[in-house]
């Protein structure tokens, strides 16, 4: 697949057919993704291929709890778990019926489930200790790798999605997965043969986020 087409058409896939994915194909995907960039080329990622059904159930139920809160908080109009908004961390205690979450319901039978960790000893966290906002730069050394997994999956005719929900319950998820100390659970990625691959993606136009010289500068016209 041509790279520009892949970049523009790799939508999130959360529902998969029953068709398995060969371990050899996953090995190829990871072999592509390892070319991702990282700070100092220190490649801090570690991957656990989660095969054990019990472990998948554990991961799924941990994620379900977080998702419930995420959507309930989101329904109040807030961005859930937003570091600039302390109220966005309040559980909403919904009393309605349990919402089904396709990603979580799929996790037991999805062809591939990956947990991605980052070895923090290999990450230069350039904005660590900033007194006015939480750090964001560390993720830059692991999320390009995650995205490359999804792009390579697409090139292999597969689809998938990443989620960071497990990071919210890292003490439990990390214990279940044997996360080494000094590591962060960065993402869980689910991959399989898509039931439907969305290719017309809704994104803002360049003019909505690009200005000249300064972020308050005039719009970049191209
Ligand atoms: C950091 C990150 C976290 C995400 N977490 C979740 C998640 O927990 N559950 C989920 O279903 N999708 C998750 N997604 C997928 C996004 O919802 C998806 O990329 C976005 O809605 C755009 O979807 P589209 O590509 O189909 O247009 C995540 C994506 C990223 C990059």
């Amino acid at each position: 697949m041509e790279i520009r087409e892949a970049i523009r058409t790799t939508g999130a896939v959360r529902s998969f057919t029953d068709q398995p994915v060969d371990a050899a194909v996953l090995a190829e995907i990871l072999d592509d993704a390892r070319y991702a960039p990282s700070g100092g080329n220190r490649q801090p990622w570690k991957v656990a291929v989660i095969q054990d059904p019990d472990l998948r159930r554990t991961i799924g139920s941990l994620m379900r709890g977080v998702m419930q809160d995420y959507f309930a908080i989101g329904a109040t109009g807030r961005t859930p778990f937003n570091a600039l908004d302390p109220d966005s961390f309040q559980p909403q205690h919904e009393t309605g019926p349990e919402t089904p979450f396709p990603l979580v319901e799929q996790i037991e039978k999805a062809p591939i489930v990956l947990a991605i960790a980052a070895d923090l000893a290999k990450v230069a966290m350039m904005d660590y200790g900033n007194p006015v906002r939480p750090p964001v730069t560390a993720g830059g050394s692991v999320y390009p790798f995650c995205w490359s997994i999804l792009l390579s999956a697409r090139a292999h005719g597969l689809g998938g999605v990443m989620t960071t929900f497990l990071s919210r319950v890292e003490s439990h998820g990390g214990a279940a997965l044997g996360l080494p100390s000094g590591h962060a659970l960065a993402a869980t990625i689910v991959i399989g043969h898509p039931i439907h691959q969305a290719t017309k993606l809704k994104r803002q136009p360049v003019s909505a986020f690009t200005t000249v010289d300064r972020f308050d500068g005039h719009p970049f016209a191209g």
Side-chain angles (χ1 to χ4, degrees):
M1 177 177 274
E2 200 262 318
I3 190 165
R4 292 189 68 207
E5 188 197 345
I7 289 170
R8 297 170 76 103
T9 64
T10 303
V13 175
R14 302 181 179 87
S15 299
F16 310 101
T17 69
D18 292 335
Q19 196 182 337
V21 175
D22 280 353
V25 171
L26 173 59
E28 278 181 22
I29 290 171
L30 294 171
D31 197 46
D32 287 344
R34 74 192 171 91
Y35 289 95
S38 60
N41 197 21
R42 281 182 287 269
Q43 305 164 47
W45 45 78
K46 285 195 180 141
V47 180
V49 183
I50 309 180
Q51 296 176 335
D52 176 35
D54 287 340
L55 190 50
R56 284 186 177 203
R57 258 190 296 280
T58 303
I59 298 303
S61 71
L62 285 170
M63 283 170 55
R64 186 177 290 111
V66 179
M67 279 193 161
Q68 235 134 23
D69 274 347
Y70 179 91
F71 287 110
I73 295 163
T76 68
R78 305 192 119 87
T79 297
F81 308 125
N82 181 267
L84 304 182
D85 174 11
D87 289 341
S88 71
F89 290 83
Q90 298 301 323
Q92 296 297 305
H93 303 299
E94 272 208 333
T95 50
E98 277 221 341
T99 323
F101 301 118
L103 184 71
V104 168
E105 314 319 325
Q106 289 278 323
I107 210 158
E108 267 178 60
K109 61 177 188 130
I112 294 173
V113 180
L114 306 174
I116 314 294
D119 180 351
L120 297 179
K122 294 184 173 176
V123 174
M125 213 176 290
M126 306 306 277
D127 51 355
Y128 180 73
N130 182 322
V132 296
R133 64 158 180 83
V136 297
T137 53
S141 280
V142 67
Y143 292 117
F145 173 74
C146 296
W147 178 229
S148 292
I149 289 176
L150 291 170
L151 283 177
S152 177
R154 172 118 173 88
H156 283 83
L158 303 170
V161 66
M162 83 166 89
T163 163
T164 51
F165 280 22
L166 208 52
S167 306
R168 189 90 200 112
V169 281
E170 186 176 282
S171 57
H172 294 97
L177 290 164
L179 183 74
S181 72
H183 286 58
L185 261 186
T188 310
I189 298 181
V190 181
I191 296 173
H193 291 272
I195 287 179
H196 170 69
Q197 171 74 66
T199 54
K200 280 196 161 47
L201 310 183
K202 268 201 249 168
R203 301 291 189 265
Q204 299 181 82
V206 172
S207 59
F209 56 83
T210 314
T211 48
V212 176
D213 289 336
R214 294 168 48 94
F215 296 108
D216 58 359
H218 63 81
F220 171 71

Coordinates of all heavy atoms in Angstrom, one line a residue, residues 75-104:
A75 N -20.0 12.0 29.0 CA -21.4 12.4 28.8 C -21.7 13.7 29.6 O -22.7 14.3 29.2 CB -22.3 11.3 29.3
T76 N -20.9 14.1 30.5 CA -21.2 15.4 31.2 C -20.6 16.6 30.4 O -20.7 17.7 30.8 CB -20.5 15.4 32.6 OG1 -19.1 15.4 32.4 CG2 -20.9 14.2 33.4
G77 N -20.0 16.3 29.3 CA -19.4 17.3 28.4 C -18.0 17.6 28.7 O -17.4 18.4 28.0
R78 N -17.4 16.9 29.6 CA -16.0 17.1 29.9 C -15.1 16.2 29.1 O -15.5 15.1 28.7 CB -15.7 16.8 31.4 CG -16.5 17.5 32.4 CD -15.9 17.4 33.8 NE -15.6 18.6 34.3 CZ -16.4 19.4 35.0 NH1 -17.7 19.0 35.2 NH2 -16.0 20.6 35.5
T79 N -13.8 16.6 28.9 CA -12.8 15.6 28.4 C -12.4 14.8 29.6 O -11.9 15.3 30.6 CB -11.6 16.3 27.8 OG1 -12.0 17.1 26.7 CG2 -10.5 15.3 27.4
P80 N -12.7 13.4 29.5 CA -12.4 12.6 30.7 C -11.0 12.6 31.1 O -10.1 12.6 30.2 CB -12.9 11.2 30.3 CG -13.8 11.4 29.1 CD -13.3 12.7 28.4
F81 N -10.7 12.5 32.4 CA -9.3 12.3 32.9 C -8.4 13.4 32.3 O -7.3 13.1 31.8 CB -8.8 10.9 32.5 CG -9.7 9.8 33.0 CD1 -10.2 8.8 32.1 CD2 -10.1 9.7 34.3 CE1 -11.0 7.8 32.5 CE2 -11.0 8.7 34.7 CZ -11.4 7.8 33.8
N82 N -8.8 14.6 32.4 CA -8.1 15.7 31.8 C -7.3 16.4 32.9 O -7.9 16.9 33.9 CB -9.0 16.7 31.1 CG -8.3 17.8 30.5 OD1 -8.1 18.8 31.1 ND2 -7.8 17.6 29.3
A83 N -6.0 16.4 32.7 CA -5.1 16.9 33.8 C -5.4 18.4 34.2 O -5.0 18.8 35.2 CB -3.6 16.8 33.4
L84 N -6.0 19.1 33.3 CA -6.2 20.5 33.6 C -7.6 20.7 34.2 O -8.0 21.9 34.5 CB -6.2 21.4 32.3 CG -4.8 21.3 31.5 CD1 -4.9 22.2 30.3 CD2 -3.7 21.6 32.4
D85 N -8.4 19.6 34.4 CA -9.7 19.7 34.9 C -9.9 18.7 36.0 O -10.3 17.5 35.7 CB -10.7 19.6 33.8 CG -12.1 19.5 34.2 OD1 -12.4 19.8 35.4 OD2 -13.0 19.2 33.4
P86 N -9.6 19.0 37.3 CA -9.7 18.0 38.3 C -11.1 17.3 38.4 O -11.2 16.1 38.7 CB -9.5 18.8 39.6 CG -8.8 20.1 39.2 CD -9.2 20.3 37.7
D87 N -12.2 18.0 38.0 CA -13.5 17.4 38.1 C -13.7 16.3 37.1 O -14.6 15.5 37.2 CB -14.6 18.5 37.9 CG -14.7 19.5 39.0 OD1 -14.2 19.1 40.1 OD2 -15.2 20.6 38.9
S88 N -12.8 16.3 36.1 CA -13.0 15.3 35.1 C -12.5 13.9 35.5 O -12.5 12.9 34.8 CB -12.2 15.7 33.8 OG -10.8 15.6 34.0
F89 N -12.0 13.8 36.8 CA -11.6 12.5 37.3 C -12.7 11.9 38.2 O -12.5 10.8 38.8 CB -10.3 12.7 38.1 CG -9.1 13.0 37.2 CD1 -8.9 14.2 36.8 CD2 -8.3 11.9 36.8 CE1 -7.8 14.5 35.9 CE2 -7.2 12.2 35.9 CZ -7.0 13.5 35.5
Q90 N -13.8 12.6 38.4 CA -14.8 12.2 39.3 C -15.6 11.0 38.7 O -16.2 11.2 37.7 CB -15.8 13.3 39.7 CG -15.2 14.5 40.4 CD -14.5 14.1 41.7 OE1 -15.1 13.3 42.4 NE2 -13.4 14.7 42.0
P91 N -15.7 9.8 39.3 CA -16.5 8.8 38.8 C -18.0 9.3 38.8 O -18.4 10.0 39.7 CB -16.3 7.6 39.8 CG -15.2 8.0 40.6 CD -15.0 9.5 40.6
Q92 N -18.8 8.9 37.8 CA -20.1 9.4 37.7 C -21.2 8.5 38.3 O -22.3 8.8 38.4 CB -20.4 9.7 36.2 CG -19.6 10.7 35.6 CD -19.8 12.1 36.3 OE1 -20.9 12.6 36.4 NE2 -18.7 12.7 36.8
H93 N -20.8 7.2 38.7 CA -21.8 6.3 39.3 C -23.0 6.2 38.5 O -24.1 6.4 39.0 CB -22.1 6.7 40.7 CG -20.8 6.8 41.6 ND1 -20.0 5.7 41.8 CD2 -20.3 7.8 42.2 CE1 -19.0 6.1 42.5 NE2 -19.1 7.4 42.8
E94 N -22.9 5.8 37.2 CA -24.1 5.6 36.4 C -25.0 4.5 36.9 O -24.4 3.5 37.3 CB -23.7 5.3 35.0 CG -23.5 6.6 34.2 CD -23.8 6.3 32.7 OE1 -23.6 5.1 32.3 OE2 -24.2 7.2 32.0
T95 N -26.2 4.6 36.9 CA -27.1 3.6 37.4 C -27.8 2.8 36.2 O -28.4 1.8 36.5 CB -28.2 4.1 38.3 OG1 -28.8 5.2 37.7 CG2 -27.6 4.6 39.6
G96 N -27.6 3.3 35.0 CA -28.3 2.7 33.9 C -27.7 1.3 33.6 O -26.8 0.9 34.3
P97 N -28.2 0.7 32.5 CA -27.7 -0.6 32.1 C -26.3 -0.5 31.7 O -25.8 0.6 31.2 CB -28.6 -1.0 30.9 CG -29.2 0.3 30.4 CD -29.2 1.2 31.6
E98 N -25.5 -1.6 31.8 CA -24.1 -1.6 31.5 C -24.0 -1.3 30.0 O -24.6 -2.0 29.2 CB -23.4 -2.9 31.8 CG -23.0 -3.0 33.3 CD -21.7 -3.7 33.4 OE1 -21.2 -4.4 32.5 OE2 -21.1 -3.5 34.5
T99 N -23.1 -0.3 29.6 CA -22.9 -0.1 28.2 C -22.0 -1.1 27.6 O -21.0 -1.4 28.2 CB -22.2 1.3 28.0 OG1 -22.7 2.2 29.0 CG2 -22.4 1.9 26.7
P100 N -22.3 -1.7 26.5 CA -21.3 -2.6 25.9 C -20.2 -1.8 25.2 O -20.5 -0.8 24.6 CB -22.1 -3.4 24.8 CG -23.3 -2.5 24.5 CD -23.5 -1.6 25.7
F101 N -19.0 -2.2 25.4 CA -17.8 -1.6 24.8 C -17.2 -2.6 23.8 O -16.5 -3.5 24.2 CB -16.8 -1.1 25.8 CG -17.4 -0.2 26.9 CD1 -17.5 -0.6 28.2 CD2 -17.9 1.0 26.5 CE1 -18.0 0.3 29.1 CE2 -18.5 1.9 27.4 CZ -18.5 1.5 28.8
P102 N -17.4 -2.3 22.5 CA -16.9 -3.3 21.5 C -15.5 -3.7 21.7 O -15.1 -4.9 21.6 CB -17.1 -2.6 20.2 CG -18.1 -1.5 20.4 CD -18.0 -1.2 21.9
L103 N -14.6 -2.7 22.0 CA -13.2 -3.0 22.2 C -13.0 -4.1 23.3 O -12.2 -5.0 23.1 CB -12.5 -1.8 22.5 CG -10.9 -1.9 22.6 CD1 -10.4 -2.1 21.2 CD2 -10.4 -0.6 23.1
V104 N -13.7 -3.9 24.4 CA -13.5 -4.8 25.5 C -14.2 -6.1 25.3 O -13.6 -7.2 25.6 CB -14.1 -4.1 26.8 CG1 -14.2 -5.1 27.9 CG2 -13.2 -2.9 27.2

